[in-house]
């Protein structure tokens, strides 16, 4: 596969040569490892790629709007797969990006076979701010802390980061050489992506159909009508009895895959 500033964001999660690719867009934290339990269960059905935020690694400046993220990911997708139809889903805030990716693909005359959102609020609903302690807790989920890390939000930021790194090394989740400078982009991307999500307003509706999976615990079912106004091809809704933050975890992966298989 050609590799460029666009395609470095395309992360193979489960690739066995099945053929058609399913592209999964990161949530507010920018990483895509949390898709692994779902991706593994799609073996033989789809090749699964994550679309990872450009700004999660040192030396990479994050894109600051949903439109810019989507444009980067569209380039990555069509570089790897020159012809459609294309399939894209996004979890949490990533659903906004997946929606915009599909919008840009169709605006460019490219066929989209699936646009799916996984527990995503529509544009116009503010993305909650994430402080350093909460960001570290979410990062810990993404990199495999069990149970997730819980930092004291009353501590100074430097102490929070140092304590997190010490615990990550103790649990052998991160190498001892991993530094605060390495961790800083992973923390900062929460603020950047949150602002991007809160300020996003689509330039126009998406002409195709939209598939939605919501959790009962998120309260997002109340926003279905707003999604209907954004997708001219209609909206279908599936619901799982789950917590938003646990949706992509092992405990619900089989249920999520059953839903995705019905969409594919």
């Amino acid at each position: 596969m050609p590799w460029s500033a666009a395609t470095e964001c395309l992360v193979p999660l489960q690739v066995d040569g099945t053929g058609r690719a399913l592209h999964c867009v990161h949530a507010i934290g920018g990483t895509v490892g949390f898709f692994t339990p779902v991706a593994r269960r799609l073996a033989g059905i789809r090749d699964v790629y994550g679309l990872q935020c450009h700004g999660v690694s040192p030396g990479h400046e994050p894109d600051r709007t949903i439109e810019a993220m989507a444009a980067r990911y569209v380039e990555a997708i069509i570089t790897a797969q020159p012809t459609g139809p294309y399939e894209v889903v996004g979890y949490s805030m990533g659903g906004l990006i997946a929606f915009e990716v599909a919008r840009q693909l169709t605006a460019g005359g490219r066929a989209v076979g699936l646009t799916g959102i996984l527990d995503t609020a529509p544009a116009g609903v503010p993305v909650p701010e994430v402080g350093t302690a909460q960001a570290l807790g979410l990062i810990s989920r993404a990199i495999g802390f069990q149970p997730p890390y819980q930092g004291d939000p009353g501590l100074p930021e430097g102490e929070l980061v140092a304590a997190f790194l010490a615990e990550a090394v103790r649990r052998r989740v991160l190498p001892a050489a991993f530094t605060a400078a390495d961790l800083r982009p992973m923390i900062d991307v929460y603020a950047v992506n949150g602002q991007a999500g809160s300020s996003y307003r689509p330039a126009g509706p998406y002409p195709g159909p939209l598939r939605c999976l919501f959790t009962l615990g998120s309260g997002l079912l109340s926003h279905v009508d707003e999604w209907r106004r954004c997708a001219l091809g209609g909206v279908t809704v599936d619901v799982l009895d789950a917590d938003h933050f646990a949706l992509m975890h092992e405990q619900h992966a089989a249920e999520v895959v059953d839903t995705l298989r019905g969409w594919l």
Side-chain angles (χ1 to χ4, degrees), residues 114-217:
L114 169 65
T115 306
I117 63 166
L118 306 172
D119 226 25
T120 302
V125 177
V127 177
E129 292 187 12
V130 178
T132 299
Q134 188 180 0
L136 291 172
L138 293 169
I139 290 167
S140 76
R141 290 174 180 264
I143 64 176
F145 270 53
Q146 289 297 334
Y149 180 77
Q150 291 185 315
D152 181 353
L155 287 176
E157 184 167 294
E159 292 183 28
L160 270 173
V161 171
F164 174 86
L165 287 172
E167 182 65 12
V169 171
R170 186 187 71 80
R171 297 194 196 191
R172 298 184 179 179
V173 175
L174 291 175
F178 201 87
T179 69
D182 297 317
L183 185 62
R184 172 50 52 189
M186 299 173 69
I187 298 172
D188 291 345
V189 80
Y190 280 89
V192 173
N193 286 348
Q195 179 57 42
S198 293
S199 61
Y200 173 59
R201 301 294 184 275
Y206 170 55
L210 183 67
R211 306 281 193 168
C212 304
L213 173 62
F214 295 116
T215 63
L216 286 177

Side-chain angles (χ1 to χ4, degrees), residues 43-54:
I45 302 168
R46 287 293 189 272
D47 287 342
V48 183
Y49 293 88
L51 287 162
Q52 180 165 281
C53 182
H54 187 60

Side-chain angles (χ1 to χ4, degrees), residues 14 17 37 42 44 58 123 140 205:
Q14 190 291 123
L42 287 169
S140 76

